[in-house]
Amino acid sequence: MEPICKKGGNIAPYVAQLAGKNNNDLTSYIREAVKNSIFASEERLKNFLDNPTALALDNDPLYKLSTALLNKYRESSPADKEATDKFEAAHRKYVAGVLASNPKGKFYPDANSTLRLTYGSIKSLPADKRNDAAQNFYTTLKGTIAKYKKGDEEFDLPQRLIDLQNNKDYGRYADKAGYLPVNFLSDNDITGGNSGSPVINGNGELIGLAFDGNIEAMAGDVIFDHKLQRTISVDIRYVLFVIDKFAGATNIISELKIVE
């Protein structure tokens, strides 16, 4: 293992301290930390949660190391703070100038720390043979299972979900056509910070949760493409299916008013 530092360097002080005690080689320390940590196994973590103490957490080797690394990662120097302050001041002037240059224009705020509303319609994209749906504005659980690849970071799936699809055990959440919807497309405008926003129909009922945009939506902060830009939302029926049929959290379902 290569030396971590020679004279402390630009690393977390706690890491520099450990390096000094271990001849700049933390291999043994990391192995022991992983072995003895509260977070080393599910059993250890459950035991801690049954009787949690601040002292045990503060003395946990992995917790101490991760905290030190995060604190260093989030560290901000006086020069960084000065540059950020100047940028934010300049950006406020820029926005004020844009608004003043077009006083009759209609502007909506970004999606961070402000209420941002947009309206649109469910709208499909051109047909794609990779999608088993009758129209290319939604996807189904059947299509999700068709992409399953065991051990793949993106496409692995729990066996229970596969079993539910094989048995078509959708509960009350299937579409009247017999499939279980997963995601749907709309021509709403979406930007960073919108993820998790509720999608509401004309009756004020929750029908989904926005979480992404297609590749054409990447340019949405500059120009809106009415033909191809789409917001991707998870269908609320799939959310309820996962809560109820997959996770068995019927206590949550019992608290909700579900409109069939």
Side-chain angles (χ1 to χ4, degrees), residues 104-117:
K104 294 184 179 180
K106 296 180 180 179
F107 306 95
Y108 47 53
D110 66 23
N112 296 302
S113 304
T114 54
L115 181 63
R116 185 179 189 272
L117 302 175

Side-chain angles (χ1 to χ4, degrees), residues 129-145:
K129 62 182 181 181
R130 294 172 296 180
N131 188 1
D132 67 291
Q135 298 184 59
N136 197 28
F137 67 82
Y138 68 93
T139 57
T140 71
L141 182 57
K142 177 183 176 182
T144 301
I145 302 301

Side-chain angles (χ1 to χ4, degrees), residues 172-216:
R172 61 196 289 194
Y173 308 109
D175 187 89
K176 61 183 179 181
Y179 63 85
L180 182 68
V182 176
N183 297 322
F184 64 86
L185 300 177
S186 66
D187 61 359
N188 292 78
D189 191 7
I190 193 171
T191 190
N194 276 139
S195 296
S197 296
V199 182
I200 299 171
N201 66 12
N203 297 322
E205 299 160 345
L206 181 66
I207 62 170
L209 299 173
F211 71 90
D212 206 350
N214 62 346
I215 189 66
E216 287 79 8

Side-chain angles (χ1 to χ4, degrees), residues 115-157:
L115 181 63
R116 185 179 189 272
L117 302 175
T118 179
Y119 63 89
S121 303
I122 305 296
K123 196 170 183 180
S124 65
L125 285 171
D128 189 329
K129 62 182 181 181
R130 294 172 296 180
N131 188 1
D132 67 291
Q135 298 184 59
N136 197 28
F137 67 82
Y138 68 93
T139 57
T140 71
L141 182 57
K142 177 183 176 182
T144 301
I145 302 301
K147 298 173 184 176
Y148 166 66
K149 292 181 182 179
K150 186 175 182 180
D152 187 282
E153 184 176 358
E154 292 187 82
F155 298 106
D156 200 356
L157 292 168

Side-chain angles (χ1 to χ4, degrees), residues 27-248:
T27 305
S28 296
Y29 174 84
I30 295 298
R31 286 174 179 169
E32 288 300 311
V34 171
K35 179 180 177 181
N36 298 316
S37 173
I38 291 169
F39 308 99
S41 67
E42 182 179 357
E43 182 181 2
R44 280 177 176 269
L45 183 58
K46 285 182 176 179
N47 289 337
F48 170 73
L49 293 176
D50 288 339
N51 186 27
T53 66
L55 181 62
L57 184 62
D58 290 340
N59 288 324
D60 184 86
L62 280 186
Y63 178 79
K64 290 170 69 174
L65 181 60
S66 63
T67 300
L69 292 173
L70 285 172
N71 288 340
K72 186 64 180 179
Y73 175 76
R74 295 166 179 162
E75 185 179 72
S76 178
S77 69
D80 290 337
K81 188 177 186 306
E82 181 181 3
T84 299
D85 290 343
K86 288 181 178 179
F87 172 81
E88 291 180 349
H91 187 259
R92 287 194 293 270
K93 291 181 180 179
Y94 167 74
V95 172
V98 171
L99 296 175
S101 68
N102 186 11
K104 294 184 179 180
K106 296 180 180 179
F107 306 95
Y108 47 53
D110 66 23
N112 296 302
S113 304
T114 54
L115 181 63
R116 185 179 189 272
L117 302 175
T118 179
Y119 63 89
S121 303
I122 305 296
K123 196 170 183 180
S124 65
L125 285 171
D128 189 329
K129 62 182 181 181
R130 294 172 296 180
N131 188 1
D132 67 291
Q135 298 184 59
N136 197 28
F137 67 82
Y138 68 93
T139 57
T140 71
L141 182 57
K142 177 183 176 182
T144 301
I145 302 301
K147 298 173 184 176
Y148 166 66
K149 292 181 182 179
K150 186 175 182 180
D152 187 282
E153 184 176 358
E154 292 187 82
F155 298 106
D156 200 356
L157 292 168
Q159 186 60 46
R160 176 162 175 74
L161 190 63
I162 297 173
D163 293 340
L164 288 168
Q165 166 59 32
N166 289 340
N167 296 325
K168 292 185 170 51
D169 187 4
Y170 307 142
R172 61 196 289 194
Y173 308 109
D175 187 89
K176 61 183 179 181
Y179 63 85
L180 182 68
V182 176
N183 297 322
F184 64 86
L185 300 177
S186 66
D187 61 359
N188 292 78
D189 191 7
I190 193 171
T191 190
N194 276 139
S195 296
S197 296
V199 182
I200 299 171
N201 66 12
N203 297 322
E205 299 160 345
L206 181 66
I207 62 170
L209 299 173
F211 71 90
D212 206 350
N214 62 346
I215 189 66
E216 287 79 8
M218 294 294 290
D221 289 346
V222 179
I223 187 171
F224 185 80
D225 185 341
H226 291 274
K227 292 183 178 180
L228 295 176
Q229 186 166 330
R230 296 290 184 272
T231 290
I232 308 171
S233 303
V234 58
D235 195 299
I236 200 62
R237 290 172 290 181
Y238 185 68
V239 174
L240 294 171
F241 163 81
V242 170
I243 294 172
D244 188 351
K245 299 296 294 184
F246 178 77

